[in-house]
Amino acid sequence: MDTLDLARWQFAVTTVYHFFFVPVTISLVAITAGLQTAWYRTGKEKYLRLTKFYGKLFLINIAMGVVTGLVQEFQFGMNWSDYSRFVGDVFGAPLALEGLLAFFLESTFIGLWIFGWERLPRLVHLGCIWMVVLGTQLSAYFILAANSWMQNPVGFRYNASRGRAELTDIWAVLTNKVVLVTYPHTIFAAFMVGGAFVAGVALWHLIRRPSVDRDVFRTALKLGAVIVIAAGAGVALSGDQQGKVMTEVQPMKMAAAEALYETEKPASFSVFTVGTLDGSREIFSVKVPHLLSFLATGNFNGEVKGINSLQAAYEQLYGPGSYKPNIPLTYWTFRLMIGVGMASAAVAVWLLWTTRRGRAPARWLIWLAAPLPLLPLLANTFGWIFTETGRQPWLVFGLLPTASGVSPGTTSGEVITSLAGFTVLYGVLAVVEAKLMLRTIRGGLAGTDGPGPDSPDDAPDEAAKPLSFAY
C-alpha cells in the first residue's frame, strides 16, 4: 500500500471506531433525560433508579467517545494537511461552533448534572441534563453540516491563487439541503441504537434475574422497544428524502448503490445482484420493477442515470480518470444498512409481542440481549461506510479528489507507525469500555437488596456507588 491507501485506512478505522460511541451518546442522554422528567412529574422511584442506571452507562460511553473523537482532529494535520488547507476556511466555522458552543455546553452541564444530585433544586438539575441533550444535538448538527459540505459544497468561492475554498455564506453551509435531510436520518438512527441498548440491558436482567426489579426492567424493555420501532419509522421516512437529495447532488452514489450500469426509465430496485469482481458490470440480479425510480425521483417512471453514462459525463466535466466508487462495497453496505436496520425493528416488535400482558420473556431470549443493540449499531456503521465510500474518488465532491488531500510530506512508514499505535490504543480502550459497561450493567439498579443472584455475595453493588467518573 502507498501512503494514500494507508492514510485512508487509518482514517476509516479510527472514524468507524469513534462512531460506535456517537449514536449511543446522542440517544442515551435523551432517554436518560426523559426518564428523569418522568420521575420529576410522577415521583415514581422506578424512573429515578432507571435514570441513575442508564445515566451512568451514558457517562462511561461519552467519556470514551470524547477520547476517540479527538483523534479525528489530529489526523487532519497528520495525514491530510492538503485537505485541511483546502477546506479549512469553510470547516473552521461549523467546527468552531461545535467546539466552542456545543461541546462546552455539554461538558459544563454534564458536570453540573453529575455533582448536582441532592445539591441543586430538582427542576434545575433536570434542566441540566436537558441542556446536555441540546448540546449533543447541536454538536451532531454542526459536524453533519461540515460533512454535508463535502457531499454538496455550497456557500463558498474558490480562490485559484491560493488553491483553497473560502467561505462566503455560513448560512448556506448550515442550511445545505444535504444536512437538512442527513441530520434527522442520523438522529433517528441513533435513537434506534439507544432504544435497542436500553431494551437489551433490560432483557438480560429480566431473564438472568427475574426476581430482581422485574417491574422496573419491564418498563425499560417496553420503553426501549417502542423507541426502536418509532425511530425505525423515522429512519425510513427520512431515508426516503435523503435518497432523493442524494440522487440530485451525487447521482453516481445512487447508481453505485444500486449497481445500475445503464440509465433506466423506469428503473428497478435490485434486491440482490452479482457482478464481476472489479464491479464493472452486472452478471445476475433480482429486481423490483419501478421501485428505484420512486426512491430516487419520487416518480415510479422517473429516469435514473447509470454508472456508465455518468462516468462519460464526468470525464467530459472533470477530465480523464475513473469517477466510480467501489461498486461492490457501495452496493452491499447500502443493503446491509437497510436490512440490518429493519431486522432490529422487527426484533423490537417481536419482543413487545412476546412480553405483552405481563408475560415473562422466554429464557432462550437471553441470546438476543447482546445482539439487539448491536444490530442498529451495525446498520449505522454500514450507513456511514456507504456515505463516505460512495463519494469516492472525491474528498469534496466535484472539487478535491481524495488523492490530492493527503499530506505531501508524510511517508508510508509514518502512517504505519501511527496506525499500529492507534490500533493498540483502541484495543486497550475497547477492553476498558467493555469492562466498565458490563460491570455497571451487572451491578443492576441503585437501591436493590444486594448484588443479585449472579454475583458473589461479597461483590460490590456498582450501581449503588455515587454517580460519578470514580469507577
Side-chain angles (χ1 to χ4, degrees), residues 419-437:
L419 178 57
F422 284 137
T423 301
V424 173
L425 174 62
Y426 280 11
V428 173
L429 290 176
V431 173
V432 173
E433 164 83 1
K435 183 177 179 180
L436 288 174
M437 294 291 273

Side-chain angles (χ1 to χ4, degrees), residues 252-325:
M252 179 64 86
K253 184 186 289 188
M254 175 56 84
E258 295 302 323
L260 183 70
Y261 291 91
E262 302 298 334
T263 300
E264 293 185 4
K265 182 182 179 181
S268 302
F269 179 88
S270 57
V271 179
F272 179 83
T273 292
V274 176
T276 55
L277 292 178
D278 61 358
S280 61
R281 62 185 178 86
E282 173 189 306
I283 297 175
F284 171 79
S285 183
V286 177
K287 299 183 177 181
V288 179
H290 298 268
L291 183 56
L292 178 57
S293 288
F294 177 77
L295 294 176
T297 67
N299 186 331
F300 282 102
N301 294 308
E303 179 181 84
V304 181
K305 296 290 185 181
I307 295 169
N308 294 334
S309 61
L310 288 169
Q311 169 65 26
Y314 287 167
E315 285 183 357
Q316 289 187 349
L317 184 60
Y318 302 117
S322 175
Y323 298 95
K324 304 175 185 177

Side-chain angles (χ1 to χ4, degrees), residues 127-425:
C128 289
I129 191 64
W130 279 111
M131 291 302 290
V132 179
V133 174
L134 175 62
T136 60
Q137 294 298 316
L138 289 173
S139 181
Y141 191 88
F142 292 138
I143 293 293
L144 290 172
N147 181 270
S148 296
W149 189 84
M150 297 166 63
Q151 317 289 338
N152 180 44
V154 295
F156 77 102
R157 67 167 175 262
Y158 178 67
N159 188 325
S161 62
R162 304 184 66 183
R164 60 180 301 192
E166 296 179 346
L167 181 66
T168 59
D169 188 350
I170 182 60
W171 184 248
V173 174
L174 295 179
T175 58
N176 189 337
K177 66 175 70 177
V178 175
V179 73
L180 293 179
V181 294
T182 299
Y183 171 74
H185 188 67
T186 304
I187 298 302
F188 280 128
F191 272 90
M192 289 190 73
V193 179
F197 179 80
V198 170
V201 171
L203 178 64
W204 185 87
H205 276 278
L206 285 172
I207 294 175
R208 294 298 297 271
R209 300 171 177 176
S211 62
V212 179
D213 296 311
R214 181 174 180 272
D215 292 338
V216 181
F217 280 116
R218 278 190 63 83
T219 298
L221 177 63
K222 290 181 179 180
L223 173 66
V226 169
I227 289 173
V228 173
I229 296 167
V235 167
L237 294 173
S238 60
D240 176 65
Q241 295 302 311
Q242 191 178 31
K244 292 172 173 57
V245 172
M246 181 177 69
T247 304
E248 179 184 348
V249 301
Q250 291 179 308
M252 179 64 86
K253 184 186 289 188
M254 175 56 84
E258 295 302 323
L260 183 70
Y261 291 91
E262 302 298 334
T263 300
E264 293 185 4
K265 182 182 179 181
S268 302
F269 179 88
S270 57
V271 179
F272 179 83
T273 292
V274 176
T276 55
L277 292 178
D278 61 358
S280 61
R281 62 185 178 86
E282 173 189 306
I283 297 175
F284 171 79
S285 183
V286 177
K287 299 183 177 181
V288 179
H290 298 268
L291 183 56
L292 178 57
S293 288
F294 177 77
L295 294 176
T297 67
N299 186 331
F300 282 102
N301 294 308
E303 179 181 84
V304 181
K305 296 290 185 181
I307 295 169
N308 294 334
S309 61
L310 288 169
Q311 169 65 26
Y314 287 167
E315 285 183 357
Q316 289 187 349
L317 184 60
Y318 302 117
S322 175
Y323 298 95
K324 304 175 185 177
N326 186 312
I327 306 300
L329 179 63
T330 307
Y331 179 88
W332 285 111
T333 51
F334 184 67
R335 270 142 194 78
L336 288 169
M337 171 188 69
I338 297 173
V340 176
M342 292 176 62
S344 61
V347 170
V349 172
W350 187 51
L351 278 177
L352 282 181
W353 175 256
T354 57
T355 57
R356 69 193 186 280
R357 298 176 183 174
R359 295 174 180 170
R363 289 198 62 83
W364 67 268
L365 288 177
I366 190 70
W367 297 104
L368 285 179
L372 178 58
L374 292 179
L375 286 175
L377 185 61
L378 286 174
N380 272 256
T381 302
F382 288 131
W384 272 110
I385 293 174
F386 163 73
T387 298
E388 300 307 300
T389 58
R391 189 184 63 245
Q392 299 301 317
W394 301 102
L395 271 176
V396 181
F397 186 78
L399 294 177
L400 181 68
T402 303
S404 299
V406 71
S407 300
T410 302
T411 65
S412 297
E414 290 171 340
V415 182
I416 290 174
T417 302
S418 59
L419 178 57
F422 284 137
T423 301
V424 173
L425 174 62

